[in-house]
Amino acid sequence: MNYDLILRSRRTLLPGGEQPADVGIRDGVIATVAGHQALTGHDVIDLAECALLPGLVDTHVHVNEPGRTEWEGFDTATRAAAAGGVTTIVDMPLNSIPPTVDPHALWVKRAAAAEQCYVDVGFWGGAVPGNLKSLPALHEQGVFGFKAFLIDSGVPEFPPLDPAGLADALAAVDALFVVHAEDPALVTEAHGAHFADFVASRPARAEASAVAAAIEAARHTGARVHILHLAAADALPLLAAARREGVRVTAETCPHYLVLDAADVPDGATQYKCCPPIRDRSHQDALWEALADGLIGCVVSDHSPCPPELKRGDFGSAWGGIASVQLGLPLVWTAARRRGHSLADVVRWMAANTADLVGLGRKGRIAEGADADLVAFDADAEFTVDAATLLHRHHVSPYHGRKLRGVVRDTWLRGRLAGAEPIGRLLERGRP
């Protein structure tokens, strides 16, 4: 049997675990997975001990184009994704202008993304006050679900829903809703350079209160709700109880909550600002435990860049967001390995589960019939982050100077090397 490409590794991350294997690719699809050195062909790449992973699926990326392309854009965001082993992103509906809250805005977003994406790109729609009637049409047009805020989003064109408005949106369309869960009644205005004061302004109980409201809306409507970027341990018992009741609620967390400790953040270092904030080690430990037992299923970047001037000032005025789509894999692997987790665990959290969350059955796994989205990952190599070399638009990073383990050597998108030219496709829900 002829193959366009054969990738061979002694460390192939298959759905059943890590094992030696050959992967035969034809027409952009994994045609077969066979034993190590079982396949022959003209184009064979032997990765030896370098691990072969499925391409990561990052379902939480803010590209910001059009309208705020000076913050980030499809060209730079998807180049950075490919360099980090991410072969599919799902773009958030806000920070671009117009926000993706109606079918016309989705058309504008797709037109902006066309022919400049280095990885595959899907889109979230937005649920905001006043757009209930647009939700079914947006869903029909192929968005993967809808994002809602329960607190101010940071941009005026994407206002938040209150809990009653969230329940109305959940009832308006049978779709996945992803929710930024912080209770505005428990959040105070932040001022000054002290990071501890910023964390105190957005306490863990604000997350727990909003998660409880989202769970109640899901319970009442029977809808699917996914809690975004969970940072607070206080919300975990609520999620566990709801899951036991059969409420359709899931959750994700992010590399910055798994790696960074509030105690280590210098005062004035606004590159660490994100919302919810980075919390202390007790919360971090609880998040890792929740990943281990499956209560949290996904790890995503929440890649949210901005121009450097918007990071100036204090923790009250600076933009809240961390750009990390290129670094997520080594960040999580470095920390996971120290805690006794396997590379298979990381693949589950960052590829298989994220693909399943949005219904991309051909992504996030090395299996026959799946897209040949693959990553050569040198899991034992080490490097030191140099923010100036990162490929997203602005080189602001809390990880500058941090030593990490795991280097992405190559990324393939449907069997072609990713990063050299914009070969990514625009994806739609329910369509291969």
Side-chain angles (χ1 to χ4, degrees):
M1 187 175 291
N2 295 322
Y3 302 101
D4 301 324
L5 175 65
I6 296 168
L7 294 177
R8 173 176 296 150
S9 172
R10 295 186 181 277
R11 302 187 63 185
T12 304
L13 275 296
L14 302 177
E18 180 181 318
Q19 64 186 72
D22 287 4
V23 178
I25 299 164
R26 187 185 310 110
D27 298 328
V29 174
I30 296 174
T32 191
V33 179
H36 192 250
Q37 297 186 330
L39 302 181
T40 58
H42 296 293
D43 194 352
V44 180
I45 298 176
D46 191 339
L47 300 175
E49 299 297 327
C50 187
L52 182 63
L53 278 56
L56 305 189
V57 177
D58 191 339
T59 54
H60 196 150
V61 177
H62 294 268
V63 176
N64 307 334
E65 186 177 6
R68 290 191 177 93
T69 310
E70 71 275 13
W71 292 24
E72 184 67 285
F74 286 101
D75 178 276
T76 48
T78 59
R79 283 179 189 264
V86 177
T87 52
T88 302
I89 66 169
V90 186
D91 173 57
M92 283 294 171
L94 73 156
N95 299 343
S96 57
I97 302 174
T100 315
V101 295
D102 57 49
H104 175 71
L106 178 61
W107 180 88
V108 172
K109 177 70 72 83
R110 287 181 174 277
E115 299 184 2
Q116 61 166 329
C117 294
Y118 289 76
V119 301
D120 287 353
V121 177
F123 302 94
W124 293 107
V128 297
N131 83 326
L132 276 182
K133 293 182 179 179
S134 295
L135 300 184
L138 257 177
H139 203 232
E140 180 63 27
Q141 290 296 313
V143 298
F144 284 88
F146 297 94
K147 181 173 188 177
F149 277 77
L150 295 180
I151 194 170
D152 181 69
S153 71
V155 292
E157 66 276 1
F158 202 96
L161 297 172
D162 60 19
L166 176 63
D168 289 342
L170 296 182
V173 60
D174 182 15
L176 171 63
F177 280 77
V178 297
V179 180
H180 181 127
E182 290 182 281
D183 185 342
L186 299 175
V187 170
T188 59
E189 189 173 355
H191 298 283
H194 297 302
F195 186 69
D197 291 343
F198 170 62
V199 176
S201 76
R202 303 183 86 106
R205 61 193 178 98
E207 283 192 74
S209 176
V211 167
I215 288 171
E216 181 56 33
R219 180 185 290 113
H220 177 71
T221 60
R224 287 179 68 201
V225 169
H226 180 75
I227 304 300
L228 297 170
H229 46 49
L230 189 65
D234 305 49
L236 295 172
L238 303 174
L239 289 167
R243 294 275 288 272
R244 287 193 297 270
E245 294 174 31
V247 179
R248 300 168 71 197
V249 61
T250 54
E252 69 185 35
T253 193
C254 305
H256 36 281
Y257 303 127
L258 297 171
V259 172
L260 302 175
D261 185 336
D264 299 328
V265 177
D267 286 342
T270 56
Q271 66 268 32
Y272 290 85
K273 181 181 176 180
C274 57
C275 300
I278 295 159
R279 304 195 186 277
D280 64 34
R281 183 63 180 264
S282 66
H283 291 278
Q284 186 180 105
D285 290 344
L287 295 175
W288 278 106
E289 290 174 10
L291 279 168
D293 65 22
L295 182 59
I296 296 175
C298 303
V299 180
V300 294
S301 68
D302 189 11
H303 177 78
S304 186
C306 69
E309 56 267 25
L310 293 184
K311 278 291 191 182
R312 296 183 187 133
D314 63 21
F315 283 107
S317 60
W319 176 258
I322 291 175
S324 64
V325 70
Q326 186 172 340
L327 294 174
L329 178 56
L331 283 167
V332 176
W333 169 233
T334 300
R337 180 178 176 274
R338 288 174 181 161
R339 290 176 177 262
H341 295 289
S342 69
L343 196 53
D345 293 329
V346 173
V347 166
R348 184 172 67 256
W349 301 326
M350 303 186 77
N353 288 358
T354 46
D356 290 346
L357 175 72
V358 293
L360 289 172
R362 292 176 56 170
K363 303 289 189 181
R365 68 212 75 224
I366 299 178
E368 291 183 12
D371 287 350
D373 300 348
L374 300 159
V375 180
F377 183 62
D378 191 341
D380 296 321
E382 294 183 335
F383 73 103
T384 300
V385 177
D386 179 355
T389 67
L390 298 175
L391 299 182
H392 56 258
R393 187 174 298 277
H394 300 292
H395 302 147
V396 177
S397 175
Y399 303 113
H400 178 70
R402 182 176 287 262
K403 189 174 183 179
L404 299 177
R405 183 180 291 268
V407 174
V408 174
R409 299 299 186 191
D410 283 305
T411 302
W412 293 267
L413 181 65
R414 285 182 298 279
R416 296 174 61 185
L417 276 173
E421 55 184 307
I423 59 174
R425 296 176 181 171
L426 304 186
L427 305 177
E428 297 181 34
R429 178 192 54 81
R431 297 175 176 85

